[in-house]
Amino acid sequence: VKNGRIMTEGYHQQYGEYHAERNALMKCEYDLTGADMYVTLEPCCHQGKTPPCTDIIIERGIGRVFIGTLDPNPLIAGKGVQVLKEHGLKVETGILERECQELNEIFFQYISTGIPYVAMKYAMTLDGKIATFTGDSKWVTGDVARHHVHEMRKKYSAIMVGIGTVLVDDPMLNCRIEQDVDPLRIVCDSHLRIPLNSQLVRTAKTIPTMVAYATGDEDKLEALREAGVQLVQINDNGRVNFKELMIELGKRKIDSVLIEGGGTFHGTVLKSGLVKRIYCYIAPKLIGGKEAKSPVEGDGFSLMKEALEITETEILKLGEDICVTGKVVQPE
């Protein structure tokens, strides 16, 4: 901003490409001497996949920098502020800090722990059912809510389901509102039951697809490899251990996972203690049925005081449906 006018803006468009500051400044030909810069995250000051953002800020003669949050990355963590100050720039931090932390919650989680940020999404009726007693689930919510889900899929690096969802629904798990932004599709499949003719396997060469398994037939493994499926073995007494899988995904630079499974898988995932956010889509419908599936099954908790609490909740109106989202408070 210079003389009360926004001169340029930018954002970090893709991992490995230029950060927001450099994107904004490179496309601006105006004299920015003495201008103010507002950033949600502390500018980087080290050479990584891209050059330091502090360099170009100093080169362009920026006078003041207002920073929302400091970068928790140990390579930066206040050092960016220090570099700018050493070159005579005025720096203020903590500007709308909470809001900026919300914008960067995925990055903060991943850079601090090396474990992906895990969110869980499901759609249910007013009586808490995700399908009828026959298993029919198309569709619980309306077009507006389903469009919102596809918008959200662009935010996460990977989308994960259990093998039960694949066997019942044969989903595509792609982002249908924009090309070339599909997340990595992951199936948690302990005994390698995924059908070779499933949509996920048949499209694995065009949309990245991974199967996490514990045990499996070598011929099946080879057929999946030939189909383009990435395979990850996590064998914990014949089952895929969810925590170990998340650690492995973190090593593979996957910073976030959106869980879109069924009740059984959700129950397992919630017990892991890794889920950070819930997206619950609620449709104004009643289907009943004591055998109808619920969004979270498994053994559950035995006492109400053990129940996971959701805080900082927000309610979005999506056509006739609503989405309730909030942060999961994990027990200490």
Side-chain angles (χ1 to χ4, degrees):
V1 175
K2 187 173 182 180
N3 298 326
R5 176 188 168 199
I6 296 175
M7 307 298 289
T8 183
E9 58 187 358
Y11 67 100
H12 185 196
Q13 297 176 347
Q14 187 170 326
Y15 174 71
E17 295 183 0
Y18 289 139
H19 293 170
E21 300 92 329
R22 192 167 288 271
N23 277 335
L25 295 175
M26 286 179 64
K27 68 182 182 182
C28 181
E29 298 178 356
Y30 296 105
D31 178 13
L32 296 176
T33 303
D36 296 334
M37 173 176 274
Y38 298 84
V39 295
T40 56
L41 186 67
E42 178 184 9
C44 68
C45 56
H46 71 290
Q47 177 68 50
K49 289 184 175 293
T50 60
C53 288
T54 50
D55 286 1
I56 193 169
I57 294 172
I58 295 166
E59 290 167 7
R60 294 301 299 270
I62 304 298
R64 297 187 299 179
V65 180
F66 298 89
I67 298 173
T69 59
L70 297 181
D71 193 329
N73 186 341
L75 294 173
I76 306 171
K79 299 184 182 71
V81 170
Q82 182 180 347
V83 168
L84 294 175
K85 286 183 175 180
E86 288 174 352
H87 284 80
L89 282 77
K90 295 181 179 180
V91 181
E92 290 190 30
T93 60
I95 310 299
L96 297 174
E97 185 171 20
R98 182 178 175 275
E99 290 86 345
C100 292
Q101 288 173 343
E102 291 293 323
L103 286 174
N104 287 295
E105 62 182 358
I106 288 176
F107 170 74
F108 278 26
Q109 154 78 19
Y110 180 65
I111 203 69
S112 301
T113 66
I115 297 175
Y117 183 96
V118 180
M120 178 181 292
K121 165 263 168 186
Y122 54 84
M124 69 180 193
T125 58
L126 278 177
D127 51 346
K129 307 297 184 181
I130 62 174
T132 67
F133 74 92
T134 65
D136 181 39
S137 61
K138 291 184 173 57
W139 295 101
V140 174
T141 53
D143 291 341
V144 178
R146 295 203 301 275
H147 185 277
H148 186 263
V149 170
H150 287 283
E151 284 283 357
M152 192 169 60
R153 283 180 179 178
K154 296 193 297 182
K155 178 180 178 180
Y156 292 88
S157 296
I159 180 169
M160 181 183 292
V161 297
I163 184 58
T165 296
V166 177
L167 296 176
V168 172
D169 295 336
D170 190 22
M172 270 289 286
L173 302 181
N174 60 336
C175 181
R176 297 169 200 155
I177 57 176
E178 187 176 343
Q179 289 186 331
D180 302 322
V181 295
D182 293 307
L184 169 68
R185 306 175 301 182
I186 305 174
V187 181
C188 197
D189 181 11
S190 292
H191 304 300
L192 216 61
R193 293 188 291 155
I194 187 168
L196 295 178
N197 64 347
S198 64
Q199 291 196 91
L200 293 174
V201 175
R202 288 190 286 110
T203 58
K205 289 184 178 179
T206 55
I207 302 176
T209 306
M210 175 185 291
V211 172
Y213 73 101
T215 60
D217 177 77
E218 188 56 43
D219 290 339
K220 183 74 169 286
L221 288 167
E222 184 57 34
L224 290 171
R225 291 190 191 98
E226 289 181 3
V229 175
Q230 305 172 42
L231 295 166
V232 177
Q233 186 174 27
I234 305 287
N235 191 348
D236 182 10
N237 294 318
R239 306 289 297 178
V240 173
N241 183 295
F242 184 76
K243 283 187 177 181
E244 291 182 18
L245 176 57
M246 289 302 104
I247 292 172
E248 177 60 29
L249 294 179
K251 293 177 181 177
R252 295 177 181 230
K253 306 298 183 183
I254 296 169
D255 68 355
S256 54
V257 177
L258 179 63
I259 306 294
E260 287 196 35
T264 301
F265 188 53
H266 287 169
T268 299
V269 170
L270 281 173
K271 284 291 185 77
S272 74
L274 296 180
V275 178
K276 300 297 181 182
R277 178 172 289 276
I278 295 290
Y279 297 94
C280 173
Y281 294 83
I282 304 173
K285 299 176 182 177
L286 299 169
I287 58 175
K290 63 180 181 180
E291 300 299 326
K293 294 290 186 180
S294 299
V296 181
E297 297 180 342
D299 294 333
F301 297 104
S302 58
L303 300 173
M304 184 59 71
K305 66 180 181 180
E306 298 173 335
L308 295 177
E309 294 185 11
I310 312 299
T311 63
E312 299 181 38
T313 55
E314 299 176 57
I315 299 177
L316 307 175
K317 187 78 165 64
L318 302 167
E320 291 298 313
D321 307 314
I322 63 172
C323 175
V324 180
T325 183
K327 294 182 177 181
V328 180
V329 180
Q330 296 292 350
E332 297 181 358

